[in-house]
Amino acid sequence: MSKLGNLGARLHRGEISYDFIGHRKLWYGISILITITAIVGLAVRGLNMGIDFQGGAVFTTEKTSVSVSQAEEYAKSASGHDAVVQKLGNGTLRIQIAGMDIKQSNQIKDDLAADFKADPETITAELVGPSWGEQIASKAWQGLAIFMVLVVIYLAIAFEWRMAIAALVALIHDITITVGIYALVGFEVTPGTVIGLLTILGYSLYDTVVVFDSLKEQTKDLTKQTRFTYSEIANRSINGTLVRSINTTVVALLPVAGLLFIGGGFLGAGTLNDISLSLFVGLAAGAYSSIFIATPLVADLKEREPQIKALKKRVLAKRAQASAEEAPAPHRGDDIYGDEPEDAEAAVVGPRNQPASRGRGRGRPSGKRR
Amino acid sequence: MAAPKKGRSASAQSKPGRSLVLILIAIVGLTAGMFASGHTTPRLGIDLAGGTSITLKAKSDQGSAINKANMDTAVEIMNRRVNGLGVSEAEVQTQGNDNIIVNIPKGTNSEKAREQVGTTAKLYFRPVLAQEATGSAAASPSASSSASPSGSSSASPSPSASASGTGEKATSSSSPSASATSQGRAVTDALKADSTPSASAGASSSASPSASASGGAAVTADDAALQAKYAALDCSKESVRASAGDGVKPADATVACGEIDKVWYKYLLGPAAVDGTEVDKAQAIFDTQGAAGWQVNMTFTKQGGKKFADITGKLAQNTQPQNEFGIVLDGNVVSSPYVSSSITGGQAQISGSFEQEEAQGLANMLSYGALPLSFEEQSVTTVTAALGGDQLHAGLLAGAIGLLLVVIYLVAYYRGLAMIALASLLVSAALTYVLMALLGPAIGFALNLPAVCGAIVAIGITADSFIVYFERVRDEIREGRTLRPAVERAWPRARRTILVSDFVSFLAAAVLFIVTVGKVQGFAFTLGLTTVLDVVVVFFFTKPLMTLIARRKFFASGHKWSGLDPKSLGAQPPLRRTRRPGGPAAGPVETKEA
């Protein structure tokens, strides 16, 4: 345990850190690659929509002794789609299969009749409309759009517009990846999938907001100091919340992984699998994007601001001066954390807003910059 | 984030016990309520528990065509009606060209649902040409209650109809009406009990100054065939009632039955003046100022408002009963308010001696009643769960295993602190379960499989709050604080983070709940509920528990297993304090490894 605990402590003190911001181009690149793959997959393969979205055929059998799960298998092998089978009160079965037209449904009807050892005449086939997809899903999209607008406004007020934009980009990134996986793997999209996707939205933003909250706190008095650039502080705040990010992601993913592997593994593909897969991919993407995409993006946007630009100039100038006076420091540029101990000797740590009086200026490494 | 003042931790320490007791009482109370109500498990959606399936077939004898657009509109309206608040997980979909299947989860009042989807068909406002009670007709309709729409402009607390004892009208408004249409007028007058507002004869008389009633909307009352039909109509027979208005186009005059205070009346009605689709919305409200009691407020669409102004303008010049219009639903008159003046502005109230339920029912019909087609019930049958119990069981099993993994992880990482996290998770889970069980009977809340999965993910969101707080506390300890101040100092900042991120979650839930219908709405409700509970649990359980635990020696002294061991957290040595025994000795050892 103490290894992780130590890691937390050292991340906290900035002794070790990963330069997320410095390597942002790499992560942007990876994300763009994944996104392109997802979009291509979506364009080429399209989504495999379930009966609720594209309609399909409903078969009603005569009173039968075939069990529901058996009928599910028959229907799946006859049609190649997942089927929803319900037993009706009078002992007949209602079998719903997505994406059938009349021709196909007649074929399947015959197949089913053979499986059921029944006369095809006793099975009625009717097409059902995509009522869920057309009405409820369109409303869900509408709700999503309204939510995005509101959340951008909220984040712009609570934080600032750059963060709002970055959070939105991260959100869209997560949705794209999740949808792309669905297209590529060919899982059927059910109402459960959509609900899983909506859950991800909330979670992805939640995650991003936690990181931004720490970022905002640490950059409060940014321009009053000349030791760190915005990017460096952003990087530190990612590292500072890294342990939390890892922990919460693990805690969120474990139950979902349970659903996915145990539930899906025992039962084969089913609704449970569909939902948990979209959740799994989305949660992982959400954690990834808040660290590797959203925060670096904020830093990028911020660095364009004149104030922040000026700050960076001042910081670099000061460093150049310092290194001219002393021995050349091993690290330069963005990778500030190499010279952390040397910096730490300095008395004032700018971005801190905690009362630091007790630890300040006592000539010891101050670990208090959070 | 005002840093806590020095004295604060002392004063805050008197509170934690209180919050803990409070939340304990809440849990016990809710659980007791759950057992008292007899609903100890959450109601399950149709995918998990099965339910009732109703097949409705569109009737082709109506004016509008059975086409996809009309069917889709019908599905949407039925969805709204059958889902009520939107959490009952009922499914409505089209089947074939002219069928609609409505699946209602087990435990819903399926009779009521059938009424809602089955009988709610076409809605029209038609002028009343003649009206007469059937059955024990001549008997004085003692308490008839026709309602009176008064324009929103007319502030008078309404000439709301109250019954007069006898049929003979004594009010000024009725006397001129003696010269109205030839047929059935005598009887009509005898029945016009609804129009003698005992309290406000003056109001109604002022409204009907124009004596001759024959004009206006009384257009086709002379149609002989219709007259004959009207004369033959016996509304006391149910079979007759059901078919009275069948097959009539909105533009034709018709006959219909309507029940007012347990007495059936027959009506001769003019062509539809306003279509039900032209009602934008209707609401039942309780008139607290006037004594009108429950009334229904209607808002018309722009076009509907114009038409309504026209028809009320014409009707107001007539006398009883021709100053009434019938609200005709599925061929039956559900209400026949009279009009005292032209109602412009697109808003109107219907007042009368409504019970709350009647008013709400009427408002519902007015709001959602305007199905573009009419339907008849074809079959009602029970259905088994769409997914089968094995999915639920596998889901719950997987959830339990996942939870166990979470526990193992938390214990491995947070040691003693994990106990607080687990206790909080348990409290959160208990509250969620109890509330869901209680909301089943209360608002028809039903849980489907996606929502179960959502609840499992909510474990992560709830745990996130603790982790944010714990990490803050540990950071404070790393900076050399002892546990008590660390717990208090970490809280304001953790609190803000938790609130900001939960607000985002809640915003998502609220928007989805308001905008969407059906399953997505049910999901949004679950999400909102768990988010609110997260805040409640963190504020009233986790934080107080941390405060309490900070006093325990096991945690305060940073025991190796407490999860708050300054040494293994890599705390800075305290500067000049000696409060933390043993702390400084090994503290900084690792500091130099990087």
Side-chain angles (χ1 to χ4, degrees), chain A residues 6 9 13 87-89 94 127 131 135 139 213 217 243 247-248 271 354 358 370, chain B residues 53 72 76 93 96 382 384 387 409 472 475-476 493 496-497 569-570 572 575 590:
Chain A
N6 274 335
R13 284 195 294 271
K87 198 167 208 125
L88 303 183
R94 178 193 283 168
L127 296 181
S131 47
Q135 310 211 355
K139 292 225 161 106
D213 194 52
E217 192 186 316
V243 173
N247 280 345
T248 54
T271 309
Q354 274 226 359
R358 272 175 267 175
R370 268 239 53 196
Chain B
S53 179
D72 285 347
E76 191 176 344
Q93 60 184 173
T382 58
T384 57
L387 292 174
Y409 180 82
R472 283 282 192 197
D475 283 349
E476 296 292 335
R493 303 158 86 191
R496 197 193 58 168
T497 307
L569 285 179
Q572 301 295 325
L575 308 172
E590 289 143 357

mmCIF file of all heavy atoms in Angstrom, chain A residues 6 9 13 87-89 94 127 131 135 139 213 217 243 247-248 271 354 358 370, chain B residues 53 72 76 93 96 382 384 387 409 472 475-476 493 496-497 569-570 572 575 590:
data_model
loop_
_atom_site.group_PDB
_atom_site.id
_atom_site.type_symbol
_atom_site.label_atom_id
_atom_site.label_comp_id
_atom_site.label_asym_id
_atom_site.label_seq_id
_atom_site.Cartn_x
_atom_site.Cartn_y
_atom_site.Cartn_z
ATOM 1 N N ASN A 6 3.049 6.539 -1.105
ATOM 2 C CA ASN A 6 4.236 7.334 -1.364
ATOM 3 C C ASN A 6 4.159 8.048 -2.688
ATOM 4 O O ASN A 6 4.528 9.202 -2.817
ATOM 5 C CB ASN A 6 5.463 6.421 -1.406
ATOM 6 C CG ASN A 6 6.006 6.219 -0.017
ATOM 7 O OD1 ASN A 6 5.792 7.074 0.834
ATOM 8 N ND2 ASN A 6 6.672 5.113 0.211
ATOM 9 N N ALA A 9 2.222 10.955 -2.185
ATOM 10 C CA ALA A 9 2.954 12.000 -1.477
ATOM 11 C C ALA A 9 3.938 12.683 -2.405
ATOM 12 O O ALA A 9 4.070 13.901 -2.415
ATOM 13 C CB ALA A 9 3.689 11.379 -0.292
ATOM 14 N N ARG A 13 4.051 16.491 -3.619
ATOM 15 C CA ARG A 13 5.162 17.431 -3.452
ATOM 16 C C ARG A 13 5.779 17.823 -4.774
ATOM 17 O O ARG A 13 6.629 18.688 -4.822
ATOM 18 C CB ARG A 13 6.231 16.795 -2.574
ATOM 19 C CG ARG A 13 5.869 16.777 -1.107
ATOM 20 C CD ARG A 13 7.079 16.482 -0.272
ATOM 21 N NE ARG A 13 7.592 15.163 -0.484
ATOM 22 C CZ ARG A 13 7.182 14.101 0.203
ATOM 23 N NH1 ARG A 13 6.255 14.218 1.120
ATOM 24 N NH2 ARG A 13 7.692 12.921 -0.036
ATOM 25 N N LYS A 87 -43.138 -14.250 -23.249
ATOM 26 C CA LYS A 87 -44.256 -15.186 -23.235
ATOM 27 C C LYS A 87 -45.515 -14.401 -22.900
ATOM 28 O O LYS A 87 -45.524 -13.613 -21.958
ATOM 29 C CB LYS A 87 -44.002 -16.250 -22.154
ATOM 30 C CG LYS A 87 -44.849 -17.486 -22.348
ATOM 31 C CD LYS A 87 -44.368 -18.640 -21.477
ATOM 32 C CE LYS A 87 -44.705 -19.961 -22.114
ATOM 33 N NZ LYS A 87 -43.579 -20.831 -22.306
ATOM 34 N N LEU A 88 -46.549 -14.608 -23.676
ATOM 35 C CA LEU A 88 -47.791 -13.885 -23.409
ATOM 36 C C LEU A 88 -48.679 -14.724 -22.491
ATOM 37 O O LEU A 88 -48.453 -15.913 -22.302
ATOM 38 C CB LEU A 88 -48.531 -13.582 -24.715
ATOM 39 C CG LEU A 88 -47.730 -12.787 -25.743
ATOM 40 C CD1 LEU A 88 -48.593 -12.485 -26.952
ATOM 41 C CD2 LEU A 88 -47.218 -11.494 -25.137
ATOM 42 N N GLY A 89 -49.683 -14.078 -21.969
ATOM 43 C CA GLY A 89 -50.538 -14.712 -20.978
ATOM 44 C C GLY A 89 -51.177 -15.997 -21.440
ATOM 45 O O GLY A 89 -51.399 -16.927 -20.664
ATOM 46 N N ARG A 94 -44.125 -13.977 -28.076
ATOM 47 C CA ARG A 94 -43.942 -12.799 -28.926
ATOM 48 C C ARG A 94 -42.448 -12.616 -29.122
ATOM 49 O O ARG A 94 -41.693 -12.462 -28.168
ATOM 50 C CB ARG A 94 -44.541 -11.566 -28.259
ATOM 51 C CG ARG A 94 -44.348 -10.296 -29.083
ATOM 52 C CD ARG A 94 -44.649 -9.079 -28.268
ATOM 53 N NE ARG A 94 -46.077 -8.863 -28.108
ATOM 54 C CZ ARG A 94 -46.580 -7.988 -27.238
ATOM 55 N NH1 ARG A 94 -45.788 -7.296 -26.468
ATOM 56 N NH2 ARG A 94 -47.876 -7.833 -27.145
ATOM 57 N N LEU A 127 -44.750 -6.006 -38.790
ATOM 58 C CA LEU A 127 -43.626 -5.099 -38.592
ATOM 59 C C LEU A 127 -43.973 -4.097 -37.500
ATOM 60 O O LEU A 127 -45.112 -3.647 -37.409
ATOM 61 C CB LEU A 127 -43.322 -4.355 -39.890
ATOM 62 C CG LEU A 127 -42.852 -5.243 -41.036
ATOM 63 C CD1 LEU A 127 -42.562 -4.399 -42.264
ATOM 64 C CD2 LEU A 127 -41.613 -6.028 -40.639
ATOM 65 N N SER A 131 -40.691 3.308 -32.898
ATOM 66 C CA SER A 131 -41.260 4.425 -32.150
ATOM 67 C C SER A 131 -40.291 4.962 -31.115
ATOM 68 O O SER A 131 -40.181 6.145 -30.919
ATOM 69 C CB SER A 131 -42.550 3.994 -31.479
ATOM 70 O OG SER A 131 -42.356 2.766 -30.837
ATOM 71 N N GLN A 135 -38.950 8.846 -31.553
ATOM 72 C CA GLN A 135 -39.506 9.847 -30.655
ATOM 73 C C GLN A 135 -38.627 10.085 -29.437
ATOM 74 O O GLN A 135 -38.235 11.201 -29.149
ATOM 75 C CB GLN A 135 -40.882 9.393 -30.192
ATOM 76 C CG GLN A 135 -41.712 9.001 -31.383
ATOM 77 C CD GLN A 135 -43.168 9.260 -31.156
ATOM 78 O OE1 GLN A 135 -43.572 9.647 -30.077
ATOM 79 N NE2 GLN A 135 -43.973 9.046 -32.163
ATOM 80 N N LYS A 139 -35.704 12.979 -28.701
ATOM 81 C CA LYS A 139 -35.835 13.850 -27.526
ATOM 82 C C LYS A 139 -34.579 13.780 -26.674
ATOM 83 O O LYS A 139 -34.175 14.766 -26.065
ATOM 84 C CB LYS A 139 -37.044 13.422 -26.714
ATOM 85 C CG LYS A 139 -38.334 13.688 -27.451
ATOM 86 C CD LYS A 139 -39.344 14.321 -26.530
ATOM 87 C CE LYS A 139 -40.428 14.991 -27.328
ATOM 88 N NZ LYS A 139 -41.662 14.269 -27.297
ATOM 89 N N ASP A 213 -11.405 22.079 -11.060
ATOM 90 C CA ASP A 213 -11.576 22.755 -9.782
ATOM 91 C C ASP A 213 -10.224 22.948 -9.117
ATOM 92 O O ASP A 213 -9.915 24.020 -8.597
ATOM 93 C CB ASP A 213 -12.502 21.918 -8.890
ATOM 94 C CG ASP A 213 -12.981 22.706 -7.698
ATOM 95 O OD1 ASP A 213 -13.499 23.826 -7.914
ATOM 96 O OD2 ASP A 213 -12.826 22.229 -6.568
ATOM 97 N N GLU A 217 -8.145 26.526 -8.550
ATOM 98 C CA GLU A 217 -7.653 26.906 -7.235
ATOM 99 C C GLU A 217 -6.166 27.257 -7.289
ATOM 100 O O GLU A 217 -5.728 28.230 -6.700
ATOM 101 C CB GLU A 217 -7.905 25.727 -6.302
ATOM 102 C CG GLU A 217 -7.701 26.073 -4.856
ATOM 103 C CD GLU A 217 -7.825 24.830 -4.014
ATOM 104 O OE1 GLU A 217 -8.769 24.043 -4.259
ATOM 105 O OE2 GLU A 217 -6.978 24.637 -3.148
ATOM 106 N N VAL A 243 -3.788 10.796 -8.238
ATOM 107 C CA VAL A 243 -4.139 9.675 -7.372
ATOM 108 C C VAL A 243 -5.665 9.569 -7.259
ATOM 109 O O VAL A 243 -6.235 8.482 -7.336
ATOM 110 C CB VAL A 243 -3.496 9.849 -5.990
ATOM 111 C CG1 VAL A 243 -4.008 8.786 -5.040
ATOM 112 C CG2 VAL A 243 -2.000 9.764 -6.110
ATOM 113 N N ASN A 247 -7.866 6.450 -8.471
ATOM 114 C CA ASN A 247 -8.731 5.765 -7.517
ATOM 115 C C ASN A 247 -10.186 5.779 -7.952
ATOM 116 O O ASN A 247 -10.858 4.751 -7.930
ATOM 117 C CB ASN A 247 -8.626 6.420 -6.142
ATOM 118 C CG ASN A 247 -7.385 5.949 -5.409
ATOM 119 O OD1 ASN A 247 -6.781 4.962 -5.806
ATOM 120 N ND2 ASN A 247 -7.012 6.640 -4.369
ATOM 121 N N THR A 248 -10.675 6.948 -8.331
ATOM 122 C CA THR A 248 -12.097 6.996 -8.665
ATOM 123 C C THR A 248 -12.384 6.218 -9.937
ATOM 124 O O THR A 248 -13.426 5.582 -10.056
ATOM 125 C CB THR A 248 -12.583 8.439 -8.837
ATOM 126 O OG1 THR A 248 -11.764 9.075 -9.787
ATOM 127 C CG2 THR A 248 -12.533 9.184 -7.533
ATOM 128 N N THR A 271 -28.427 -7.690 -23.071
ATOM 129 C CA THR A 271 -28.607 -6.291 -22.715
ATOM 130 C C THR A 271 -27.561 -5.842 -21.705
ATOM 131 O O THR A 271 -26.976 -4.773 -21.813
ATOM 132 C CB THR A 271 -29.996 -6.094 -22.101
ATOM 133 O OG1 THR A 271 -30.948 -6.661 -22.975
ATOM 134 C CG2 THR A 271 -30.293 -4.634 -21.907
ATOM 135 N N GLN A 354 -3.447 28.559 0.304
ATOM 136 C CA GLN A 354 -3.586 28.101 1.665
ATOM 137 C C GLN A 354 -2.735 28.974 2.546
ATOM 138 O O GLN A 354 -1.652 29.391 2.149
ATOM 139 C CB GLN A 354 -3.018 26.706 1.756
ATOM 140 C CG GLN A 354 -4.017 25.687 1.401
ATOM 141 C CD GLN A 354 -3.934 24.614 2.436
ATOM 142 O OE1 GLN A 354 -3.142 24.689 3.318
ATOM 143 N NE2 GLN A 354 -4.735 23.636 2.354
ATOM 144 N N ARG A 358 3.128 28.930 8.200
ATOM 145 C CA ARG A 358 3.924 28.097 9.097
ATOM 146 C C ARG A 358 5.090 27.443 8.394
ATOM 147 O O ARG A 358 6.115 27.178 8.983
ATOM 148 C CB ARG A 358 3.049 27.028 9.713
ATOM 149 C CG ARG A 358 2.405 27.542 10.969
ATOM 150 C CD ARG A 358 1.471 26.527 11.498
ATOM 151 N NE ARG A 358 0.152 26.779 10.975
ATOM 152 C CZ ARG A 358 -0.871 25.958 11.216
ATOM 153 N NH1 ARG A 358 -0.707 24.873 11.909
ATOM 154 N NH2 ARG A 358 -2.038 26.243 10.727
ATOM 155 N N ARG A 370 -0.034 22.964 -3.423
ATOM 156 C CA ARG A 370 -1.107 22.125 -3.975
ATOM 157 C C ARG A 370 -1.994 23.025 -4.760
ATOM 158 O O ARG A 370 -2.510 23.950 -4.238
ATOM 159 C CB ARG A 370 -1.906 21.506 -2.844
ATOM 160 C CG ARG A 370 -1.355 20.192 -2.497
ATOM 161 C CD ARG A 370 -2.427 19.165 -2.688
ATOM 162 N NE ARG A 370 -2.964 19.313 -4.045
ATOM 163 C CZ ARG A 370 -4.097 18.771 -4.386
ATOM 164 N NH1 ARG A 370 -4.809 18.111 -3.566
ATOM 165 N NH2 ARG A 370 -4.536 18.888 -5.611
ATOM 166 N N SER B 53 -49.801 -6.308 -21.562
ATOM 167 C CA SER B 53 -49.635 -5.783 -22.904
ATOM 168 C C SER B 53 -51.010 -5.519 -23.509
ATOM 169 O O SER B 53 -51.855 -6.402 -23.518
ATOM 170 C CB SER B 53 -48.861 -6.794 -23.746
ATOM 171 O OG SER B 53 -48.718 -6.323 -25.049
ATOM 172 N N ASP B 72 -47.776 7.960 -35.173
ATOM 173 C CA ASP B 72 -46.666 8.379 -34.313
ATOM 174 C C ASP B 72 -47.120 9.400 -33.280
ATOM 175 O O ASP B 72 -46.692 9.373 -32.131
ATOM 176 C CB ASP B 72 -45.521 8.953 -35.161
ATOM 177 C CG ASP B 72 -44.755 7.855 -35.881
ATOM 178 O OD1 ASP B 72 -44.969 6.675 -35.517
ATOM 179 O OD2 ASP B 72 -43.978 8.155 -36.783
ATOM 180 N N GLU B 76 -46.970 9.034 -29.219
ATOM 181 C CA GLU B 76 -46.350 10.007 -28.326
ATOM 182 C C GLU B 76 -47.317 10.430 -27.227
ATOM 183 O O GLU B 76 -46.959 10.515 -26.044
ATOM 184 C CB GLU B 76 -45.888 11.221 -29.128
ATOM 185 C CG GLU B 76 -45.006 12.131 -28.301
ATOM 186 C CD GLU B 76 -44.463 13.288 -29.108
ATOM 187 O OE1 GLU B 76 -44.506 13.229 -30.349
ATOM 188 O OE2 GLU B 76 -43.998 14.250 -28.475
ATOM 189 N N GLN B 93 -45.475 1.325 -28.592
ATOM 190 C CA GLN B 93 -44.903 1.303 -29.932
ATOM 191 C C GLN B 93 -45.947 0.881 -30.964
ATOM 192 O O GLN B 93 -46.961 0.270 -30.619
ATOM 193 C CB GLN B 93 -43.671 0.401 -30.004
ATOM 194 C CG GLN B 93 -43.940 -1.033 -29.658
ATOM 195 C CD GLN B 93 -42.676 -1.872 -29.660
ATOM 196 O OE1 GLN B 93 -42.711 -3.016 -29.276
ATOM 197 N NE2 GLN B 93 -41.567 -1.321 -30.074
ATOM 198 N N GLY B 96 -47.300 -3.062 -37.039
ATOM 199 C CA GLY B 96 -47.998 -3.070 -38.308
ATOM 200 C C GLY B 96 -48.374 -1.651 -38.692
ATOM 201 O O GLY B 96 -47.719 -0.699 -38.296
ATOM 202 N N THR B 382 -51.156 -10.697 -20.411
ATOM 203 C CA THR B 382 -49.966 -10.511 -19.590
ATOM 204 C C THR B 382 -48.750 -10.945 -20.393
ATOM 205 O O THR B 382 -48.845 -11.838 -21.238
ATOM 206 C CB THR B 382 -50.024 -11.368 -18.319
ATOM 207 O OG1 THR B 382 -50.170 -12.729 -18.716
ATOM 208 C CG2 THR B 382 -51.186 -10.965 -17.449
ATOM 209 N N THR B 384 -44.442 -11.911 -20.102
ATOM 210 C CA THR B 384 -43.316 -12.170 -19.206
ATOM 211 C C THR B 384 -42.263 -11.101 -19.438
ATOM 212 O O THR B 384 -42.343 -10.320 -20.377
ATOM 213 C CB THR B 384 -42.695 -13.546 -19.476
ATOM 214 O OG1 THR B 384 -42.301 -13.582 -20.850
ATOM 215 C CG2 THR B 384 -43.676 -14.649 -19.205
ATOM 216 N N LEU B 387 -36.486 -9.578 -20.715
ATOM 217 C CA LEU B 387 -35.097 -10.008 -20.617
ATOM 218 C C LEU B 387 -34.945 -11.290 -19.822
ATOM 219 O O LEU B 387 -33.960 -11.988 -19.936
ATOM 220 C CB LEU B 387 -34.266 -8.916 -19.942
ATOM 221 C CG LEU B 387 -34.104 -7.656 -20.744
ATOM 222 C CD1 LEU B 387 -33.394 -6.616 -19.913
ATOM 223 C CD2 LEU B 387 -33.318 -7.945 -21.997
ATOM 224 N N TYR B 409 -10.174 -3.122 -3.059
ATOM 225 C CA TYR B 409 -9.296 -2.053 -3.514
ATOM 226 C C TYR B 409 -9.214 -0.938 -2.481
ATOM 227 O O TYR B 409 -8.136 -0.467 -2.132
ATOM 228 C CB TYR B 409 -9.797 -1.507 -4.850
ATOM 229 C CG TYR B 409 -8.935 -0.399 -5.396
ATOM 230 C CD1 TYR B 409 -7.781 -0.681 -6.092
ATOM 231 C CD2 TYR B 409 -9.280 0.926 -5.187
ATOM 232 C CE1 TYR B 409 -6.979 0.340 -6.573
ATOM 233 C CE2 TYR B 409 -8.493 1.953 -5.657
ATOM 234 C CZ TYR B 409 -7.335 1.656 -6.361
ATOM 235 O OH TYR B 409 -6.541 2.663 -6.830
ATOM 236 N N ARG B 472 -7.813 15.010 0.026
ATOM 237 C CA ARG B 472 -7.563 16.329 0.594
ATOM 238 C C ARG B 472 -7.010 16.204 2.010
ATOM 239 O O ARG B 472 -6.049 16.875 2.381
ATOM 240 C CB ARG B 472 -8.866 17.132 0.649
ATOM 241 C CG ARG B 472 -9.282 17.701 -0.674
ATOM 242 C CD ARG B 472 -8.454 18.921 -0.956
ATOM 243 N NE ARG B 472 -9.008 19.668 -2.077
ATOM 244 C CZ ARG B 472 -8.332 20.574 -2.744
ATOM 245 N NH1 ARG B 472 -7.092 20.833 -2.407
ATOM 246 N NH2 ARG B 472 -8.885 21.221 -3.736
ATOM 247 N N ASP B 475 -3.545 15.067 1.925
ATOM 248 C CA ASP B 475 -2.640 16.146 1.519
ATOM 249 C C ASP B 475 -2.321 17.052 2.698
ATOM 250 O O ASP B 475 -1.185 17.491 2.872
ATOM 251 C CB ASP B 475 -3.287 16.971 0.395
ATOM 252 C CG ASP B 475 -3.199 16.252 -0.937
ATOM 253 O OD1 ASP B 475 -2.473 15.251 -1.018
ATOM 254 O OD2 ASP B 475 -3.879 16.681 -1.891
ATOM 255 N N GLU B 476 -3.361 17.327 3.481
ATOM 256 C CA GLU B 476 -3.139 18.180 4.655
ATOM 257 C C GLU B 476 -2.158 17.516 5.616
ATOM 258 O O GLU B 476 -1.301 18.175 6.206
ATOM 259 C CB GLU B 476 -4.467 18.460 5.372
ATOM 260 C CG GLU B 476 -5.478 19.246 4.555
ATOM 261 C CD GLU B 476 -5.052 20.682 4.313
ATOM 262 O OE1 GLU B 476 -4.270 21.202 5.116
ATOM 263 O OE2 GLU B 476 -5.490 21.272 3.295
ATOM 264 N N ARG B 493 -12.669 22.779 1.018
ATOM 265 C CA ARG B 493 -12.231 22.681 -0.380
ATOM 266 C C ARG B 493 -12.809 21.430 -1.037
ATOM 267 O O ARG B 493 -13.242 21.469 -2.194
ATOM 268 C CB ARG B 493 -10.719 22.678 -0.436
ATOM 269 C CG ARG B 493 -10.168 23.928 0.228
ATOM 270 C CD ARG B 493 -8.753 23.719 0.670
ATOM 271 N NE ARG B 493 -7.826 24.005 -0.422
ATOM 272 C CZ ARG B 493 -6.552 23.696 -0.369
ATOM 273 N NH1 ARG B 493 -6.063 23.103 0.687
ATOM 274 N NH2 ARG B 493 -5.770 23.984 -1.380
ATOM 275 N N ARG B 496 -16.428 22.103 -1.876
ATOM 276 C CA ARG B 496 -16.695 22.872 -3.079
ATOM 277 C C ARG B 496 -16.556 21.988 -4.321
ATOM 278 O O ARG B 496 -17.390 22.012 -5.214
ATOM 279 C CB ARG B 496 -15.740 24.058 -3.179
ATOM 280 C CG ARG B 496 -16.239 25.074 -4.170
ATOM 281 C CD ARG B 496 -15.178 26.061 -4.512
ATOM 282 N NE ARG B 496 -14.003 25.375 -5.054
ATOM 283 C CZ ARG B 496 -13.014 26.014 -5.653
ATOM 284 N NH1 ARG B 496 -13.051 27.317 -5.748
ATOM 285 N NH2 ARG B 496 -11.995 25.349 -6.131
ATOM 286 N N THR B 497 -15.477 21.210 -4.353
ATOM 287 C CA THR B 497 -15.286 20.327 -5.502
ATOM 288 C C THR B 497 -16.484 19.394 -5.673
ATOM 289 O O THR B 497 -16.995 19.207 -6.777
ATOM 290 C CB THR B 497 -14.008 19.489 -5.307
ATOM 291 O OG1 THR B 497 -12.932 20.366 -5.033
ATOM 292 C CG2 THR B 497 -13.713 18.679 -6.537
ATOM 293 N N LEU B 569 2.387 8.198 4.460
ATOM 294 C CA LEU B 569 1.880 9.194 3.520
ATOM 295 C C LEU B 569 3.008 10.105 3.054
ATOM 296 O O LEU B 569 2.829 10.914 2.163
ATOM 297 C CB LEU B 569 0.796 10.044 4.186
ATOM 298 C CG LEU B 569 -0.552 9.368 4.369
ATOM 299 C CD1 LEU B 569 -1.507 10.316 5.056
ATOM 300 C CD2 LEU B 569 -1.115 8.938 3.033
ATOM 301 N N GLY B 570 4.133 9.965 3.733
ATOM 302 C CA GLY B 570 5.272 10.788 3.346
ATOM 303 C C GLY B 570 5.104 12.226 3.779
ATOM 304 O O GLY B 570 5.389 13.153 3.034
ATOM 305 N N GLN B 572 5.607 15.761 5.629
ATOM 306 C CA GLN B 572 6.744 16.585 6.012
ATOM 307 C C GLN B 572 6.869 16.506 7.523
ATOM 308 O O GLN B 572 5.878 16.408 8.222
ATOM 309 C CB GLN B 572 6.480 18.032 5.615
ATOM 310 C CG GLN B 572 6.245 18.207 4.144
ATOM 311 C CD GLN B 572 7.466 17.864 3.338
ATOM 312 O OE1 GLN B 572 8.590 18.106 3.780
ATOM 313 N NE2 GLN B 572 7.254 17.282 2.177
ATOM 314 N N LEU B 575 7.195 21.312 11.856
ATOM 315 C CA LEU B 575 8.263 22.290 11.902
ATOM 316 C C LEU B 575 8.805 22.471 13.292
ATOM 317 O O LEU B 575 9.977 22.430 13.532
ATOM 318 C CB LEU B 575 7.729 23.601 11.375
ATOM 319 C CG LEU B 575 7.081 23.350 10.031
ATOM 320 C CD1 LEU B 575 6.362 24.580 9.561
ATOM 321 C CD2 LEU B 575 8.154 22.922 9.043
ATOM 322 N N GLU B 590 11.988 9.501 2.717
ATOM 323 C CA GLU B 590 11.907 9.240 1.278
ATOM 324 C C GLU B 590 12.026 10.493 0.431
ATOM 325 O O GLU B 590 11.935 10.437 -0.787
ATOM 326 C CB GLU B 590 10.571 8.550 0.963
ATOM 327 C CG GLU B 590 10.567 7.129 1.472
ATOM 328 C CD GLU B 590 9.224 6.746 1.997
ATOM 329 O OE1 GLU B 590 8.337 7.611 2.016
ATOM 330 O OE2 GLU B 590 9.046 5.606 2.406
#
